[in-house]
């Protein structure tokens, strides 16, 4: 069982019983020297290292009211990261994140929270340039620069914690797509807020990869032309079994390199993790932002039946996925004739469409996303990765619609095979998952 976070204003702690030590926070003070624009928060962390987050509240200790986590940015020091035990200090620049507010003696109090390493906050950001800066945030509002900041599509990866355990059993699949069965997760997990982009690939592999885009518009488009082997193996050898899940990725693979660089056990999600995150609590004939599926039987890409609700949440065949090349528009040559096209056509910049209820983007479209499961996928009650034993199961599962897909191929339950694990396509991409623990 995950341990709860400990929150302290002065000496009031919230937490439950646990057999092992809980991180403790004490001796919290907040001060601002005369004439300084910097507020200093000092505290002592005890028992064990923990992730520290800060909120600032008005209304005194008796009835504190947050000023809003979006106003408690511009932080430095021992905050929003794993902190070792001892006397620690945070600095805050309210003139940058909470301007036009006068802080006087006693007008605000500091709320310092210590999160156990097995129960980190809801957002995690990994710096792909340094590799050593892993940051944690309590909510989307607290994310430095905001969730939609381009930095999380370029040099950092932003992950959202999925509270899967507390959700209990949920129905995976859909009657018109796959067998419906209940799944109950035993662990929470992180999943990417965005599909992995071409620039993020570059920062790990040292070279760009992808079919779509020019040097001027490729960076924040999803990386594609992906195969399972490119992500987990050291090459395109289909006989390589040493790095097939549950074995770790090859050191030279993208997932092997990003794990070595950041210390985070990034991998592909299982298809159960993917579908649960995509749905965000939405079931039935609805898109993942809660809007109704207006067309539920269209599987013909050439028909161009438009679901205006889908167009809000996903790049698909009807809103730019295929380029207007006259009679060629519905042929393979028409679809792929102009790889140097702008983001108006083919793949879009990640995050161009509305997110789902949990703040995840592009899960209904843009590129199809590879998962760990062998084709045809599993039906286990705990959402475990399906690992086939028959060589014919060398294919992997792909989830989500892509920019070439008609309406029905974009729903939350739709799945297809990847082809050979060495096959790569210009509509195959991925988003990463990771265990919801610190530097697992």
């Amino acid at each position: 069982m995950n341990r709860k976070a400990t929150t302290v204003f002065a000496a009031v702690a919230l937490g439950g019983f646990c057999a092992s030590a809980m991180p403790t926070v004490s001796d919290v003070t907040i001060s601002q020297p005369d004439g300084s624009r910097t507020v200093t928060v000092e505290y002592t962390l005890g028992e064990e290292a923990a992730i520290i987050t800060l909120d600032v509240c008005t209304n005194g200790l008796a009835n504190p009211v947050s000023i809003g986590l979006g106003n408690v940015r511009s932080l430095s020091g021992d905050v929003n990261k794993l902190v070792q035990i001892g006397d620690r200090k945070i600095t805050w620049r309210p003139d940058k994140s909470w301007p036009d507010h006068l802080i006087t003696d006693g007008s605000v109090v500091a709320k310092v929270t210590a999160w156990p390493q097995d129960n980190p906050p809801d957002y995690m950001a990994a710096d792909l340039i340094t590799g050593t800066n892993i940051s944690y945030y309590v909510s989307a509002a607290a994310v430095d620069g905001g969730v939609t900041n381009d930095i999380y599509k370029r040099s950092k990866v932003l992950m959202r914690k999925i509270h899967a355990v507390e959700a209990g059993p949920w129905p995976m699949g859909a009657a018109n797509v796959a067998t419906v069965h209940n799944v109950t997760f035993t662990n929470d997990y992180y999943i990417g807020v965005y599909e992995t982009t071409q620039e993020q690939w570059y920062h790990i592999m040292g070279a760009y990869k992808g079919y779509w885009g020019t040097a001027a518009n490729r960076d924040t488009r999803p990386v594609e032309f992906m195969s399972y082997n490119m992500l987990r193996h050291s090459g395109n050898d289909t006989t390589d079994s040493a790095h097939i899940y549950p074995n770790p990725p090859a050191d030279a693979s993208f997932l092997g390199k990003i794990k070595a660089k950041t210390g985070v056990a990034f991998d592909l999600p299982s298809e159960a993790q993917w579908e649960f995150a995509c749905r965000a609590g939405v079931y039935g004939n609805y898109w993942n932002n809660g809007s109704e599926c207006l067309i539920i039987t269209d599987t013909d890409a050439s028909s161009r039946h438009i679901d205006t609700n889908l167009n809000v949440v996903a790049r698909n065949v009807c809103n730019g996925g295929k380029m207007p090349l006259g009679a060629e528009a519905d042929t393979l040559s028409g679809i792929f004739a102009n790889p140097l096209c702008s983001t108006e056509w083919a793949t879009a910049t990640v995050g161009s469409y509305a997110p789902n209820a949990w703040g995840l983007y592009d899960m209904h479209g843009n590129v199809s996303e590879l998962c760990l499961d062998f084709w045809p996928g599993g039906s286990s009650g705990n959402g475990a990765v399906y690992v086939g034993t028959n060589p014919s199961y060398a294919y992997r599962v792909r989830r989500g619609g892509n920019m070439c897909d008609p309406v029905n191929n974009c729903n939350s339950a739709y799945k297809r095979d990847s082809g050979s694990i060495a096959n790569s396509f210009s509509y195959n991409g991925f988003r990463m998952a990771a265990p919801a623990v610190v530097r697992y």
Side-chain angles (χ1 to χ4, degrees), residues 270-354:
S270 70
E271 68 158 334
Q273 289 176 328
W274 189 97
E275 183 175 326
F276 184 72
C278 174
R279 289 186 177 279
V282 176
Y283 300 92
N285 292 321
Y286 297 90
W287 302 114
N288 61 13
N289 67 341
S291 63
E292 184 179 4
C293 297
L294 302 178
I295 302 171
I296 60 174
T297 59
D298 184 8
T299 59
D300 182 3
S302 65
S303 68
R304 301 293 185 94
H305 291 156
I306 297 174
D307 186 321
T308 53
N309 285 344
L310 173 63
N311 284 353
V312 172
V313 295
R315 172 61 59 90
N316 63 89
V317 70
C318 296
N319 65 352
K322 288 188 177 180
M323 290 163 284
L325 300 174
E328 281 192 316
D330 291 312
T331 67
L332 285 177
S333 61
I335 296 169
F336 303 114
N338 183 16
L340 302 181
C341 64
S342 71
T343 55
E344 183 181 1
W345 309 109
T347 58
T349 295
V350 298
S352 294
Y353 297 87

Side-chain angles (χ1 to χ4, degrees), residues 412-430:
S412 300
Y414 184 77
K415 67 168 76 177
R416 73 194 94 189
D417 69 77
S418 66
S420 164
I421 57 175
N423 283 1
S424 57
F425 302 100
S426 62
Y427 42 78
N428 267 12
F430 68 104

Side-chain angles (χ1 to χ4, degrees), residues 54-69:
L54 174 70
D55 193 5
V56 176
C57 302
T58 60
N59 218 33
L61 286 171
N63 189 27
V65 177
S66 174
I67 66 170
L69 289 170

Side-chain angles (χ1 to χ4, degrees), residues 154-318:
R154 293 178 177 276
S155 60
K156 293 184 178 181
V157 171
L158 186 64
M159 308 292 286
R160 173 72 157 93
K161 185 176 178 180
I162 303 300
H163 296 268
V165 175
E166 66 185 39
W170 61 280
M172 180 176 173
N176 63 331
V177 178
T179 302
V180 179
H181 63 283
N182 280 343
V183 171
T184 302
F185 286 111
T186 57
N187 292 289
D188 297 337
Y189 58 96
Y190 282 112
I191 197 164
V193 169
Y194 301 108
E195 294 164 328
T196 304
T197 67
Q198 294 188 39
E199 182 171 336
Q200 289 167 339
W201 177 275
Y202 169 80
H203 286 306
I204 298 303
M205 302 302 288
Y208 277 92
K209 176 75 178 174
Y211 184 83
W212 301 107
T214 66
N217 64 38
R218 67 190 176 191
D219 287 352
T220 55
R221 295 174 101 152
V223 65
E224 22 72 17
F225 239 96
M226 291 289 101
S227 72
Y228 179 88
N229 276 3
M230 290 177 187
L231 297 174
R232 293 192 103 252
H233 293 201
S234 55
N236 259 354
D237 181 3
T238 57
T239 65
D240 175 14
S241 61
H243 303 107
I244 291 176
Y245 184 88
N247 296 327
D251 291 345
S253 69
F254 175 86
L255 290 167
K257 285 188 173 184
I258 195 171
K259 179 180 179 181
K261 189 169 189 177
T262 65
V264 177
F266 288 113
D267 210 329
L268 299 174
S270 70
E271 68 158 334
Q273 289 176 328
W274 189 97
E275 183 175 326
F276 184 72
C278 174
R279 289 186 177 279
V282 176
Y283 300 92
N285 292 321
Y286 297 90
W287 302 114
N288 61 13
N289 67 341
S291 63
E292 184 179 4
C293 297
L294 302 178
I295 302 171
I296 60 174
T297 59
D298 184 8
T299 59
D300 182 3
S302 65
S303 68
R304 301 293 185 94
H305 291 156
I306 297 174
D307 186 321
T308 53
N309 285 344
L310 173 63
N311 284 353
V312 172
V313 295
R315 172 61 59 90
N316 63 89
V317 70
C318 296

Side-chain angles (χ1 to χ4, degrees), residues 61-104:
L61 286 171
N63 189 27
V65 177
S66 174
I67 66 170
L69 289 170
N71 297 317
V72 192
R73 296 176 180 170
S74 300
L75 297 170
S76 59
D78 299 314
V79 66
N80 292 340
K81 63 184 180 182
L82 182 64
V83 176
Q84 300 300 316
I85 61 174
D87 295 332
R88 299 297 173 195
K89 182 168 69 174
I90 302 168
T91 57
W92 172 44
R93 288 290 301 271
D95 58 310
K96 293 184 177 181
S97 64
W98 200 42
D100 304 322
H101 289 82
L102 180 64
I103 298 177
T104 59

